[in-house]
Amino acid sequence: MSADAAAAALNGHPHTIKDIPGYIENAFHGKEAQMVQVTDYLSEKGFIPATLAQNEVSWFYGNLGIDEMYFASESVESIANHIMALYGAKIFAYTKNDNALDINLERETDEGAVYIHTSRPGVSQLYGPQHEKRIDAKYLDVSNTERAYRLESYRSKGTVSSSSSTQLRTYFVRQCAFVNPKPTKEQENNIRETADKSFLEKATENTLEIYSSVMKLALSRTGPVIEMFEVEGSRERRLVIAYKQQTTQSFFSAISDLYHYYDLYSTRKYVEQFSNGITIVSLYLNQIPKSTAPPIEHSIHQIIKEASLIYCLPTTPLQSFFQTNKLSVQESIYGYIGWIFAQHFLNRLGNEYVSLVNILDTNNSTHQDVLTKMKKRLRTDTFTRDYILEIIKTYPELIKLLYINFAMIHYVNPALNALQPTLSYQRLRTDAVLTEEELHDKIKRTTTNSHELMVFESFLIFNKHVLKTNFYQPTKVALSFRMDPSFLPEIEYPTKLYGMFLVIGSEFRGFHLRFRDVARGGIRIVRSRNREAYSINLRSLFDENYALANTQQRKNKDIPEGGSKGTILLDVNQQDKALVAFEKYVDAMLDLLILGETPGIKERIVDLYKKPEILFFGPDEGTADYMDWASAHARERGATFWKAFTTGKSQSLGGIPHDTYGMTTRSVHQYVLGIYRKLGLKEENCRKLQTGGPDGDLGSNEIKISKDKTCGIVDGSGVLYDPEGINREELARLAGNRLMISNFDVSKLSPKGFRVLVDEVNVKLPSGQVIDDGLSFRNNFHLNSMIDCEVFVPCGGRPEAVDLQNVGRLLDAENHPRFKYIVEGANLFFTQEARLRLERAGAVVFKDASANKGGVTSSSLEVLAALAFTDDEFAEHMQVTETHAPTFYQEYVKEVQEIIERNARLEFEALWREHQRTKTPRSILSDELSLAIVKLNENLQHTSLWDNVPLRKVVLEEAFPKLLQQQVGLDNLMKRVPENYVRAIFGAYLASRFVYKYGTEPSQFAFFEFMTPYFSKVQQ
């Protein structure tokens, strides 16, 4: 059978194989001679009496049943030492009158390792060396195409002595020597090209055929491939599991815990690595004699289902409950999910905080400061992660009951014609099923205080608000939950969310939040420099995501889509796994957006949302290079919306890269230029500080597009400052090559200029001041009083870098702002309270929601083109090749840039005018303007104006890009683009143009006056 045919035959079907090993049995022909040498060595050492040495060696070689590979790979001295250790263990057990021996032998080198330990079949090692965890951490988890390790493991056929029933397990770890370490795209499907040389020598033809098939499937799939083989004439079952290297951790040891839970043990185990990046695990499983657990014929199917859960989350803090049979794998992982949910959403503020909010004046900065500090303290001090976990661990019986409550809603009953219901289903039918009221009553009676009650009530809230989940999908790479966000307290989250997703993987946790059904926003990777930073990022993750999505909602006022945002927080030990985390995040989300149609792989799930759902992802911090993959993956998964799924794609896929064309910067810079224009300032004379360096999108394009005297730049590598103005040519060089300021030629600084990098200490500045720590200096430089600039344009940096607690450092001794003009290019760089404080002091501040909207406009128009063109037209007019950029594409990009600049100018003028008229702070006006547009937009979409088709055409003729109309035609645009999208374009265009012209408090006749020209065109 060819590998392709084998792959087709494997996919999701039961398989039967002959009762022969999948590997050629290891044979060592020098065994007899080696025995003599070992006996002589032991006799010479004298630790074992000469009369007993021969007997001990004979038993070790003949009766113990250790695999021949051991004798072939170990030296005489090493074997003799192991026999002495075994003999010593027997003596020790005899003195304690104990038949159970505890033996742990090991030898580790850079090239591999050998481990031998006493092993009871079907029992996980909870204490001691825990060899499998060590093998995972030291060899398997780190294996990649450059350096990888294969493993063979055998259970001894005999016992350690005639008086003991103890068996040994051996592990042999060896560094791989691949046939072809760097296979081409064509070669990566060929197992004989990509395999380890010793594997090819040992594997049978049947094994090569099976492995080749699962390898091909794994290469084309994001998650694991899990296949089971029945053995003819035997109850033995063999599992073969393939997955991409470094996409899970501790999987080898965790899968052992899984089959031990069902009273199974392995006679042999193999882990093979391939130079195409695939890992294959093979397990030979049998049932423990006299086991009372379900028969292997049934439990093996449950293990296959739960192996995908193990792949998603191999280890959790509730692992010990699973290892000791107190919780099943599903229950323990459910408990872990509940723990994460409680960390983010346990209502910790309480009624007293609500009362205080009502009493205090939120416009008073001192009162606001008190509330902010209290909110942070209540959230972090009351329920720490460890405290919540301690409570959960105290009541595993409650986790069981809560899990049943969750499963009864989301577990899909097996098909009526299935011969055997799954063990999950059987467990649900036999365990007690309580109503929500009975369960709440049980929790109240079981817990002993209000804190314990609140923790388990949060589990109930979680269960009640999950609308759909991939928890029970046969294959998955991370767990995803579509939540009904109505449980969020209004006091903390005043603007209601439309949709909310929670995604949890072994490398990350993440959210996706949106404020409208059709919404757009970027996906952001959140990294942490150390454990302290991770702890801070963890606590603020949801609030930051909510604030970013809310900002996006206000920012999207000019386009048909509402605001959304996704965040992916990398675990503290997984900071190098951004791509893996992103791929899992996207795939797990697609599980909930696409109907599963493939039995055993992607099946239908319980959907309480009951409506089709489409999400639009864009690039953000750390994900700009991943958009192509997400679009292609959505296409592979069969998503009809794949073309519009992501924006910021490469030009070859019809994308309009924001950074290449400076889309975001074009909007931000219009505000800077607007200030200069209104106040009669000459750009070349204005001194500016910029956070976000020449290596980033906003930072590099701000350098390229501006003509000011930039005095300071802060980026990931450090601080560059020159009061005389930083050399423009050198800055342009860095921006052109996307290099950090660590690459700046410091010889081009003036005598007063300096550069301090984050890893430098005790740096002396030209002023004589000594900087103790470069990292701390960088983090707080934007607050430093040495800066002498009028203009501040944040183009990067962490959210809330300036808040009420530190904004005072941006004021001088006379309470005047040190920066007169601030245009917030970076999202959420300032808190709203900090902006208002600066405005009261006299600064001109334009906030992110107004200034930073060029990127979303570009993304929206990119999607509009994808929706307007057929696949062939899209390829012809929008997809750029290495040798050809379509004329339409080039002209369309210019039109997009013009639309961005026009929208920015319109909003700038409206804000300037409204501030002059009302004296209301611009930061508040920006929100009022956005809310007015969003509200009017929604109203307009559902009025008779939309039903007036001639009027609709007149408005859309203005709203649709001119080039698209010329290429496709207005009538075709209205047919091809989904109606809800066209309706949103209609509403967004009229609403934004009206509010920009008439402000947030128009007269009663303003709208009539505004619409008159449109009605006039209809009559013409």
Side-chain angles (χ1 to χ4, degrees), residues 223-518:
V225 176
I226 304 168
E227 298 293 342
M228 186 270 288
F229 299 85
E230 298 176 1
V231 178
E232 283 182 2
S234 164
R235 295 184 69 198
E236 181 175 273
R237 297 292 186 269
R238 296 181 188 172
L239 277 188
V240 178
I241 305 169
Y243 55 88
K244 292 186 173 77
Q245 291 165 354
Q246 296 193 356
T247 57
T248 186
Q249 300 85 40
S250 306
F251 182 73
F252 180 66
S253 55
I255 204 78
S256 296
D257 292 338
L258 175 59
Y259 62 71
H260 289 164
Y261 180 84
Y262 291 100
D263 273 7
L264 304 187
Y265 71 96
S266 64
T267 52
R268 52 178 72 194
K269 303 191 261 197
Y270 301 94
V271 180
E272 301 295 351
Q273 310 285 358
F274 298 86
S275 61
N276 57 9
I278 297 296
T279 297
I280 296 181
V281 179
S282 183
L283 310 168
Y284 291 48
L285 300 177
N286 292 271
Q287 189 141 23
I288 296 171
K290 300 178 183 177
S291 167
T292 57
I296 188 172
E297 291 80 1
H298 294 177
S299 62
I300 193 69
H301 297 289
Q302 192 64 23
I303 289 168
I304 291 169
K305 277 180 171 289
E306 294 178 355
S308 70
L309 268 180
I310 289 288
Y311 171 84
C312 292
L313 295 167
T315 56
T316 74
L318 300 178
Q319 188 87 354
S320 60
F321 289 93
F322 165 47
Q323 291 170 319
T324 54
N325 283 23
K326 289 177 184 172
L327 293 174
S328 71
V329 64
Q330 290 170 329
E331 289 161 348
S332 61
I333 287 179
Y334 165 79
Y336 174 70
I337 301 298
W339 177 52
I340 287 178
F341 182 82
Q343 289 171 40
H344 292 287
F345 302 113
L346 204 57
N347 187 4
R348 292 155 284 184
L349 300 184
N351 295 329
E352 293 83 358
Y353 177 81
V354 177
S355 302
L356 201 58
V357 169
N358 293 330
I359 293 167
L360 296 179
D361 177 9
T362 52
N363 293 319
N364 183 310
S365 60
T366 308
H367 290 190
Q368 193 66 48
D369 193 21
V370 169
L371 282 172
T372 303
K373 286 179 180 175
M374 184 174 289
K375 187 176 180 180
K376 285 183 178 177
R377 184 172 296 175
L378 282 169
R379 286 181 156 184
T380 54
D381 294 354
T382 315
F383 287 91
T384 63
R385 295 171 69 217
D386 292 339
Y387 182 43
I388 297 170
L389 183 60
E390 185 185 320
I391 291 170
I392 292 170
K393 283 183 169 181
T394 308
Y395 300 102
E397 70 277 16
L398 289 182
I399 295 297
K400 275 181 172 291
L401 293 172
L402 285 158
Y403 169 73
I404 292 169
N405 176 263
F406 169 81
M408 290 303 291
I409 301 168
H410 295 285
Y411 185 76
V412 180
N413 289 348
L416 294 174
N417 61 355
L419 294 175
Q420 291 288 345
T422 66
L423 293 181
S424 288
Y425 186 64
Q426 290 175 13
R427 278 205 292 265
L428 292 179
R429 306 316 298 172
T430 54
D431 290 346
V433 180
L434 304 180
T435 66
E436 194 176 311
E437 293 75 20
E438 290 170 337
L439 186 50
H440 192 246
D441 185 57
K442 174 75 173 175
I443 291 169
K444 282 199 284 190
R445 285 187 284 108
T446 306
T447 52
T448 59
N449 58 54
S450 62
H451 281 187
E452 291 179 349
L453 176 62
M454 286 171 71
V455 167
F456 286 104
E457 281 178 337
S458 73
F459 276 74
L460 273 177
I461 291 169
F462 172 76
N463 286 2
K464 193 174 179 179
H465 291 84
V466 174
L467 296 175
K468 49 185 172 177
T469 175
N470 70 346
F471 192 91
Y472 295 104
Q473 271 291 14
T475 62
K476 50 194 168 285
V477 296
L479 296 179
S480 54
F481 304 86
R482 167 60 161 95
M483 309 291 298
D484 169 6
S486 62
F487 67 89
L488 294 170
E490 192 176 341
I491 190 75
E492 295 185 64
Y493 308 103
T495 307
K496 285 189 176 180
L497 283 171
Y498 181 92
M500 168 181 168
F501 288 80
L502 167 64
V503 188
I504 299 168
S506 55
E507 302 83 5
F508 71 97
R509 67 181 67 181
F511 291 102
H512 187 273
L513 309 177
R514 74 190 201 274
F515 283 93
R516 271 203 228 143
D517 185 13
V518 178

Side-chain angles (χ1 to χ4, degrees), residues 669-816:
H669 200 62
Q670 282 302 312
Y671 281 82
V672 178
L673 294 178
I675 293 170
Y676 297 157
R677 188 172 64 249
K678 291 291 184 184
L679 300 178
L681 302 173
K682 196 169 182 182
E683 184 176 4
E684 291 85 346
N685 298 334
C686 292
R687 299 187 307 280
K688 181 182 77 181
L689 171 71
Q690 175 183 322
T691 58
D695 60 313
D697 168 9
L698 258 175
S700 63
N701 282 303
E702 173 64 19
I703 289 168
K704 289 176 184 177
I705 208 170
S706 62
K707 296 184 290 186
D708 54 52
K709 187 186 284 187
T710 301
C711 295
I713 289 187
V714 182
D715 72 5
S717 67
V719 174
L720 183 68
Y721 185 73
D722 192 334
E724 304 294 323
I726 301 169
N727 184 284
R728 268 273 160 195
E729 287 180 9
E730 181 64 359
L731 270 185
R733 180 184 72 83
L734 297 186
N737 293 294
R738 286 297 182 89
L739 297 172
M740 287 186 168
I741 57 164
S742 52
N743 295 280
F744 187 90
D745 180 357
V746 290
S747 68
K748 297 189 176 179
L749 290 171
S750 77
K752 295 180 181 177
F754 61 81
R755 184 186 66 189
V756 178
L757 302 180
V758 290
D759 52 1
E760 292 181 328
V761 294
N762 299 324
V763 180
K764 191 172 184 179
L765 303 184
S767 64
Q769 181 184 351
V770 175
I771 305 303
D772 299 329
D773 173 29
L775 176 62
S776 178
F777 184 68
R778 189 280 308 268
N779 289 348
N780 295 291
F781 186 72
H782 59 284
L783 305 169
N784 200 306
S785 59
M786 74 169 67
I787 301 168
D788 182 21
C789 296
E790 301 96 350
V791 185
F792 181 23
V793 182
C795 294
R798 296 296 298 141
E800 301 188 4
V802 181
D803 58 17
L804 261 184
Q805 294 177 50
N806 61 22
V807 69
R809 294 172 63 183
L810 294 183
L811 305 174
D812 61 21
E814 296 172 356
N815 211 35
H816 294 142

Side-chain angles (χ1 to χ4, degrees), residues 115-127:
Y115 303 97
I116 303 174
H117 70 86
T118 44
S119 171
R120 280 177 56 203
V123 178
S124 293
Q125 278 189 307
L126 298 180
Y127 311 102

